[in-house]
Every structure is written in C-alpha cells, then in structure tokens.
Amino acid sequence: MHCRGWRSIYCMPELPAFKGSAPINLSDRLNQVLRWALGSVEIFFSRHSPAWYGYKGGKLKWLERLAYVNTTVYPFTSIPLLAYCTLPAICLLTGKFIMPEISTFASLFFIALFLSIFATGILELRWSGVSIEEWWRNEQFWVIGGVSAHLFAVVQGLLKILAGIDTNFTVTSKASDDEDFAELYAFKWTTLLIPPTTLLIINLVGVVAGISDAINNGSQSWGPLFGKLFFAFWVIVHLYPFLKGLMGRQNRTPTIVVIWSVLLASIFSLLWVRIDPFVLKTKGPDVKQCGINC
C-alpha cells in the first residue's frame, strides 16, 4: 500500500480499541514468537521483500523501506546473539578474554557508540511512556526469544526455502481475563527450551570454573576475572526469567530439569577434576632431585 502511494497514521486512542488474548505459559509463548519470526524470514526471502520490492515506480520512502526491512531481518540477529551469550563461558573456561587490547582512540569510539545507543534507548522510553521495569522485561525476553524461537525460525525458514521442508503449524492455547489461569505454571517440553537451558548451564559452569581457577592461582588472577564474570552474569540475569518459567511451581520439578541438573553436575565434576583448585600449581622447572638425568 505504501509502494502505491497510500499514507498511514499512527492511531492510539485513549480507550483500548479491542481486547485480545495471549498465551500465558513459557512454551506456548515461545511457539508463538517462533511463528512470528518464521513469517518474517519467509517475507524476507519472498518476491515482496522490502529489501528489493517496489524500486521501479514505487513510492516507498527510504525510511519506510528501512523500517520494513527491520521487521523482516530481526530473526537473523539470533546468530550473533547466540555467539555473544556463549563467549563469556568460553572465556571463563579457557582463560581468554572477549575484549582485545585496543588503542585509546578506538576505546573512545566504542564508548561514544555505547553512549549513543544508551541515549537512544532513553529517548524511546520517554517517547513511548514505557517504565524501566517493562523495558527490562522486554530486554530479558528479547534474549530468551532470540536464542530460541528466532534461531529456530532462521533454521526452519532456510530449510523451507532451500530444501522445501515445511514445518507443522501448532495452535497455542490462549487465555483471557474471564478464564482461569490453569496453564500459567504448565510445563510443556519443546525443543525451543534446549538452547537457553544450555546457555544457562555453560555460563553457570564457567562462573564456578573461573572462580575456582582464580582461587587456585592467587590474587593476581582476580583482576581479569571480574571482567569475564560481568559478561557471564549479564547473560545469566537476562535468562533468569526463563529459569523461573522452566521450574514452574515451586513444588513441582519437571523431569527434564532433573536430567539437565544431572548433566550439569557431571560437567562440573569433570571440570573440577580437571582444574583441581585445591592443589597449588607451580610454574618453572621441577626442583625434585633426579640425578644426572636432569
């Protein structure tokens, strides 16, 4: 419609224009986000993609085109997001650090970039009237959905377009204000839960391994460790609502959570044996007497 010259306005009446319903448990919510993201991926690869549609004779403005492109490419951000959520654990387990050494000029450039992003977020909050708590919840679910539903949408979209493999459509259960929230704590296992659970486990294991290694190596290891712990805790804090949703009611622990807990204990035990934090590590030549064969 915009390509054909139609104009649109943003209408937000004081009273709600309509009343809707939404899924209330974690699994159904992720499946809904998966369908939305999969639709965006399919539109991006279709002939009506805003990236290349309407250039000849179209009346679509550049900012409008950019806005439409943004609504179709956001699932692809799951790939770098998955890498960013995995790197802190890798750094803690390997002893490396995410941030390389850079010059003063480059550091000022990155600081200016981060400040501009922060200022843009503040302006959006003031314009939309969203509270800090609501913004933080949105950030948390963006990470949860990004490493699960968006990632699966990219994979399924590419399989459908390149290999012709279609996925089944699952109708999610929804609840309105007039219904009981019987499914609020319902746990429904789906493969969408695997990536966030795995990220939680490896970051928790990385934190324990990093602290144990720092205790073993002395006070000089704590300085570089704080930077690594910051990124790892940043990932864990973003995924904390997912952990609460995974547990459900406090008096009910799903079997799959027990399985992942056993897996976590096994990985931690192997790392503990490998690190051996209560044994002092010595560097340099072996000082024991070995005779002429030294």
Side-chain angles (χ1 to χ4, degrees):
M1 293 173 65
H2 283 157
C3 284
R4 295 179 181 179
W6 287 78
R7 295 181 62 187
S8 60
I9 61 173
Y10 184 76
C11 180
M12 189 175 63
E14 295 182 1
L15 296 177
F18 55 89
K19 179 181 178 181
S21 59
I24 60 174
N25 62 65
L26 178 62
S27 301
D28 288 340
R29 172 62 175 165
L30 289 178
N31 277 299
Q32 184 186 55
V33 174
L34 170 62
R35 290 202 307 273
W36 294 344
L38 182 58
S40 296
V41 173
E42 292 175 350
I43 292 174
F44 178 77
F45 287 107
S46 68
R47 69 184 187 91
H48 293 109
S49 173
W52 49 73
Y53 179 76
Y55 279 102
K56 295 182 179 180
K59 299 181 181 181
L60 195 65
K61 299 178 182 179
W62 280 104
L63 286 180
E64 291 176 329
R65 185 179 299 278
L66 182 62
Y68 279 122
V69 169
N70 183 56
T71 61
T72 59
V73 301
Y74 74 90
F76 297 97
T77 60
S78 59
I79 299 175
L81 180 61
L82 180 65
Y84 293 150
C85 292
T86 308
L87 280 174
I90 295 177
C91 293
L92 287 168
L93 293 173
T94 60
K96 305 296 182 181
F97 194 43
I98 301 175
M99 300 296 294
E101 294 184 1
I102 56 178
S103 62
T104 304
F105 176 77
S107 62
L108 292 176
F109 174 78
F110 282 111
I111 291 174
L113 178 62
F114 289 135
L115 289 178
S116 64
I117 295 174
F118 180 76
T120 303
I122 295 297
L123 291 176
E124 290 179 347
L125 287 176
R126 294 182 59 86
W127 173 79
S128 60
V130 176
S131 64
I132 296 295
E133 182 181 3
E134 293 172 333
W135 169 80
W136 176 242
R137 288 179 179 177
N138 183 71
E139 289 292 311
Q140 288 177 314
F141 194 82
W142 173 72
V143 175
I144 296 171
V147 298
S148 57
H150 296 172
L151 182 65
F152 276 67
V154 173
V155 175
Q156 292 182 11
L158 293 176
L159 288 176
K160 183 176 181 179
I161 294 169
L162 299 178
I165 302 176
D166 201 356
T167 55
N168 296 327
F169 179 81
T170 304
V171 179
T172 55
S173 59
K174 298 179 176 62
S176 62
D177 293 341
D178 300 329
E179 298 176 355
D180 295 330
F181 293 94
E183 296 187 357
L184 178 60
Y185 297 101
F187 183 85
K188 300 178 181 179
W189 174 250
T190 172
T191 52
L192 295 175
L193 302 178
I194 295 178
T197 307
T198 305
L199 288 175
L200 266 173
I201 290 175
I202 62 174
N203 277 279
L204 290 173
V205 172
V207 168
V208 175
I211 294 177
S212 301
D213 190 64
I215 294 174
N216 186 33
N217 291 328
S219 58
Q220 69 276 6
S221 303
W222 286 99
L225 178 65
F226 285 127
K228 303 174 187 178
L229 290 177
F230 171 80
F231 289 107
F233 278 119
W234 193 249
V235 175
I236 295 172
V237 168
H238 276 82
L239 295 177
Y240 175 70
F242 170 81
L243 180 61
K244 292 180 63 177
L246 192 67
M247 295 300 298
R249 292 185 184 273
Q250 295 181 357
N251 58 351
R252 293 178 56 189
T253 303
T255 305
I256 194 65
V257 177
V258 177
I259 296 176
W260 277 111
S261 301
V262 173
L263 178 61
L264 172 61
S266 301
I267 296 175
F268 171 71
S269 299
L270 293 174
L271 288 172
W272 190 270
V273 173
R274 175 65 181 86
I275 297 173
D276 203 2
F278 294 111
V279 177
L280 181 63
K281 295 180 180 179
T282 58
K283 296 182 180 179
D286 191 358
V287 295
K288 65 179 182 180
Q289 295 182 359
C290 52
I292 195 171
N293 293 325
C294 291

